[in-house]
Amino acid sequence: KSSSTAVLPDFGFLLCARVSSRRWLNLQEYQSKKLMQESGVTVQRFYVADNPPDALQAAKRLNAKEIVLKAQILAGGRGKGVFSSGLKGGVHLTKDPSVVGELASKMLGYSLTTKQTPKEGVEVKTVMVAEALDITRETYFAILMDRACNGPVMVGSPQGGMDIEEVADKSPELIFKEVIDIFEGVRDDQALRMAANLGFKGPLKRQAADQIMRLYDLFLKVDATQVEVNPLGETPEGQVVCFDAKISFDDNAEFRQKAVFALDDMSESDPTETEAAKWDLKYIGLDGNIACFVNGAGLAMATCDIIDLHGGKPANFLDLGGGVKEKQVYEAFKLLTADPKVEAILVNIFGGIVNCAIIANGITKACRELELKVPLVVRLEGGYCTGGATPTALHPYLPSV
């Protein structure tokens, strides 16, 4: 035990697995719609505003029968959310454009709290003013990478607008799948067959097939791992429209998708996680008081589990990755010691890919320069574990345990 409240276990050899330490790209709804629009996919007409007067002007420019005003945050459940201004609902429908400015004034600059946001909510900085369209029928459509098929597949269902997992569980016969040849792309007959399976008939069948092929073009163009449209709807006017979409991107393609990744909205991300990502560290904050400093996702999870098993609570998940440098070790310690909940730090390194000497030297530098005030327990095992900073060298810089 390193203190009366922080419990650290004795443990032996543990295997580890490495995962990428990159954070996922997050796009707002309007940004995804814009990408779709640029690829010829049919979406609602919309404008974006960051102040009430612009929102009002956007509503007038739309000249639509009905307008939908949506707060732009990354969390779900906006429709049932509550603003710190007292306004209820992050999504509002109106046939009167003149009220849009007033509604926007109660959204912009205020925090919206939903089931998926922190308790204090998330500040709304932009709103989307869009044309509201009636939907006569909702379907589900997605393109995703499938390991079993060694490439992309199309997945669709005539039952859209709801949880697709629930449809798959209760009505698996309503889930349709088409494997796409990565070299050939989506064939016309495949797109038409999927459109028919989704329930589109007559001229709408051709229209839906065209939308499917354009969505695949978008999938390739932006290096997506998934494009999910729910719902892909049919309007009374005979239009096939992508009403809501989620796009997941391949982070490994950032080097050739500069424009897309420049859209990343990190304002809603945890500041510590954002700072960790700058140093190529995978960090997730937890509620405990024992900070974990580990290499490899598998070893990091096992370390968290062992702490919990022995009566302690981990303060974080931190994976250094395999190619860690001394500077990253130092920055990781800065992140850990900045957390006021942390009462002890556990370093658990298995030197397979990682050089233990680099870790040890980084620790000694951090202890010297950051004036570490909490107990530190270090376990180095594997490559170069006897080189660099030895336990004796570390001792002068460690708090008494």
Side-chain angles (χ1 to χ4, degrees):
K1 295 183 180 180
S2 57
S3 73
S4 60
T5 56
V7 181
L8 293 170
D10 292 325
F11 53 90
F13 177 79
L14 293 169
L15 289 174
C16 64
R18 189 187 178 200
V19 296
S20 170
S21 57
R22 303 300 298 274
R23 60 185 297 278
W24 295 112
L25 171 63
N26 293 314
L27 295 187
Q28 300 283 6
E29 178 186 5
Y30 76 89
Q31 294 172 318
S32 295
K33 284 187 183 297
K34 187 176 180 181
L35 288 176
M36 295 169 70
Q37 203 173 46
E38 290 170 352
S39 292
V41 177
T42 303
V43 299
Q44 300 152 280
R45 292 185 297 126
F46 71 92
Y47 295 101
V48 179
D50 58 10
N51 61 74
D54 284 354
L56 176 60
Q57 289 304 312
K60 291 178 178 178
R61 282 201 307 273
L62 281 172
N63 193 27
K65 293 180 180 179
E66 192 170 21
I67 296 163
V68 59
L69 180 66
K70 291 186 173 184
Q72 295 298 286
I73 64 172
L74 297 172
R78 291 173 295 173
K80 296 181 180 180
V82 179
F83 285 90
S84 56
S85 64
L87 181 67
K88 294 183 178 180
V91 178
H92 284 263
L93 286 167
T94 179
K95 294 183 179 180
D96 183 2
S98 65
V99 305
V100 170
E102 182 183 351
L103 285 170
S105 70
K106 296 177 181 178
M107 292 183 176
L108 292 165
Y110 292 98
S111 295
L112 175 60
T113 303
T114 76
K115 289 183 178 180
Q116 294 186 14
T117 65
K119 291 180 180 179
E120 66 274 14
V122 173
E123 183 183 350
V124 175
K125 298 179 180 178
T126 55
V127 293
M128 184 176 75
V129 186
E131 176 184 25
L133 298 175
D134 291 328
I135 307 176
T136 54
R137 202 172 61 84
E138 297 181 331
T139 72
Y140 172 91
F141 177 75
I143 303 169
L144 60 145
M145 298 300 292
D146 186 348
R147 186 181 297 274
C149 300
N150 294 317
V153 297
M154 293 188 288
V155 178
S157 174
Q159 287 193 5
M162 58 187 296
D163 188 350
I164 193 62
E165 284 80 8
E166 185 179 335
V167 177
D169 182 52
K170 296 182 178 178
S171 307
E173 72 280 2
L174 294 178
I175 301 293
F176 298 94
K177 181 177 175 181
E178 289 277 348
V179 178
I180 302 170
D181 186 313
I182 192 67
F183 297 107
E184 190 177 11
V186 176
R187 301 191 310 272
D188 192 59
D189 64 298
Q190 282 185 304
L192 286 168
R193 184 162 57 245
M194 178 59 75
N197 286 333
L198 295 181
F200 292 105
K201 299 176 181 177
L204 289 176
K205 180 180 174 182
R206 178 71 265 173
Q207 194 181 144
D210 289 342
Q211 292 296 301
I212 286 170
M213 297 184 81
R214 288 170 186 170
L215 285 166
Y216 182 68
D217 289 342
L218 171 65
F219 179 84
L220 292 180
K221 179 182 175 183
V222 300
D223 284 305
T225 54
Q226 177 177 294
V227 174
E228 182 182 47
V229 181
N230 190 18
L232 175 63
E234 181 180 323
T235 71
E237 295 76 24
Q239 272 190 307
V240 178
V241 180
C242 297
F243 283 94
D244 202 357
K246 177 182 178 183
I247 306 175
S248 300
F249 301 86
D250 185 350
D251 288 336
N252 294 310
E254 181 179 356
F255 72 96
R256 65 183 184 195
Q257 295 292 345
K258 300 289 187 185
V260 172
F261 279 77
L263 299 173
D264 195 2
D265 184 356
M266 295 187 286
S267 62
E268 296 177 33
S269 302
D270 180 277
T272 305
E273 293 181 18
T274 302
E275 182 64 22
K278 291 180 183 177
W279 299 100
D280 208 20
L281 302 168
K282 183 67 175 179
Y283 176 95
I284 300 172
L286 302 174
D287 296 329
N289 59 350
I290 301 175
C292 301
F293 182 97
V294 190
N295 69 302
L299 186 57
M301 288 187 287
T303 303
C304 288
D305 288 343
I306 292 173
I307 289 173
D308 190 71
L309 181 65
H310 286 260
K313 294 293 179 184
N316 64 275
F317 170 100
L318 175 62
D319 173 17
L320 294 173
V324 65
K325 305 297 182 185
E326 279 186 35
K327 180 63 174 174
Q328 290 169 285
V329 174
Y330 178 80
E331 293 298 330
F333 261 81
K334 280 179 65 176
L335 293 174
L336 297 180
T337 55
D339 185 348
K341 301 191 307 295
V342 170
E343 298 179 19
I345 299 175
L346 170 62
V347 176
N348 184 18
I349 300 296
F350 173 66
I353 302 174
V354 171
N355 184 327
C356 288
I358 290 174
I359 302 294
N361 289 327
I363 291 173
T364 57
K365 180 182 178 182
C367 290
R368 280 195 304 267
E369 298 183 13
L370 299 178
E371 298 181 356
L372 197 62
K373 305 295 185 184
V374 297
L376 171 65
V377 175
V378 180
R379 179 260 192 173
L380 302 176
E381 186 65 48
Y384 297 93
C385 67
T386 57
T390 64
T392 302
L394 284 172
H395 181 72
Y397 310 111
L398 304 185
S400 58
V401 179

